[in-house]
Amino acid sequence: MRPTDVTDSRELSWEGCVNARDLGGLGRIRRGAVVRMEAPTRLSAAGWTAAWDYGVRTVLDLRNADECVPDEAQRPPGITTVRVPLDPVGTPFYERWSRIDNFASPLYFPAMLAEYPEPVITAVRAIADAAPGCVVFHCSGGKDRTGLLALVLLTLAGAKPEDILADYLLSYERMRQLLAELGIGDQLVAVRELLASHGTTIEDSLFSTIGSLAMPGFLLGNGLSESELDGLRARLTG
């Protein structure tokens, strides 16, 4: 089965960002419900205006506190920022996976979901409980922590595994030029080499995670209430 054209009408050209896209059109997610992107710190005033005009009213920040830097332009006053750090900093789990893949590949996804689901559930709950309007969620580059949350939402919404994979891979392409300007090499090559050293691939790693993620059992079994699940579904699918 071939994946859907995951770029079709989902790319968002907000000035100052390179990795913003609507998840609408994948699975049952509607357009304008949730947007994934890199940290919006480089958005210009025009970029923030475009986000506001798109309907963004909540920004969910998945970064650790020490990663946050001031925005280059002021956020519209009607946008609420909610901070839910996804990495379990200070735990043996964090120390272990920092050594394995530095939380920069899908290799850690299944371990995170199994051993530390609480931050993921907190992020999902923040989306379910957000004020009316579009929710943007992001980490630093918009690839892995953002990709993990996107995977959870898309799996709940019944997106095809091929589409979840294709959406994840888009971030490597979108961030390549910006990272090159910072002197950082091709991350896709680096991650493929890392996963090969562990006897797997990006594709197999993601497909395995998706296949083992029973929905909505994962969410309900880790603390999301039925009413919160109803609210999340209403937001995602309209």
Side-chain angles (χ1 to χ4, degrees):
M1 183 182 295
R2 296 182 61 185
T4 304
D5 181 357
V6 296
T7 64
D8 183 28
S9 302
R10 298 198 302 118
E11 296 290 342
L12 298 171
S13 298
W14 297 343
E15 187 176 82
C17 70
V18 297
N19 193 25
R21 55 190 178 275
D22 197 319
L23 292 186
L26 301 181
R28 296 182 296 275
I29 297 182
R30 63 178 176 82
R31 301 295 171 93
V34 283
V35 166
R36 61 175 295 172
M37 68 178 296
E38 78 269 35
T41 52
R42 298 172 69 248
L43 278 181
S44 66
W48 279 113
T49 296
W52 176 267
D53 290 345
Y54 197 75
V56 173
R57 297 297 180 267
T58 301
V59 173
L60 178 59
D61 189 342
L62 306 176
R63 296 174 299 171
N64 304 320
D66 62 1
E67 296 177 88
C68 298
V69 298
D71 293 335
E72 293 185 8
Q74 184 176 353
R75 304 185 182 200
I79 290 181
T80 299
T81 300
V82 180
R83 302 193 187 279
V84 180
L86 212 61
D87 289 342
V89 176
T91 65
F93 177 91
Y94 183 80
E95 297 303 318
R96 182 169 77 252
W97 281 96
S98 293
R99 293 191 299 270
I100 295 171
D101 75 347
N102 200 31
F103 291 88
S105 89
L107 195 63
Y108 83 92
F109 286 4
M112 179 76 180
L113 293 172
E115 297 180 47
Y116 275 91
E118 294 85 1
V120 178
I121 298 300
T122 300
V124 168
R125 182 178 290 116
I127 293 174
D129 292 345
C134 180
V135 177
V136 163
F137 60 96
H138 71 88
C139 52
S140 181
K143 178 171 69 70
D144 292 300
R145 286 167 290 187
T146 298
L148 177 57
L149 182 54
L151 182 150
V152 169
L153 298 175
L154 290 168
T155 301
L156 175 67
K160 293 183 292 186
E162 294 85 355
D163 288 344
I164 299 174
L165 168 67
D167 182 67
Y168 173 79
L169 290 173
L170 276 175
S171 290
Y172 289 96
E173 176 184 340
R174 299 297 180 263
M175 294 295 291
R176 183 175 289 117
Q177 181 177 345
L178 177 61
L179 292 175
E181 292 171 0
L182 298 174
I184 300 173
D186 191 322
Q187 292 300 289
L188 182 56
V189 171
V191 170
R192 287 200 183 280
E193 290 176 349
L194 172 68
L195 267 66
S197 74
H198 288 272
T200 188
T201 65
I202 291 175
E203 291 80 4
D204 287 347
S205 181
L206 280 175
F207 289 158
S208 176
T209 301
I210 296 163
S212 65
L213 189 57
M215 286 296 188
F218 167 78
L219 299 175
L220 295 173
N222 286 291
L224 199 73
S225 69
E226 290 280 1
S227 62
E228 289 168 334
L229 177 62
D230 290 342
L232 178 64
R233 283 173 163 158
R235 174 175 296 281
L236 297 179
T237 63

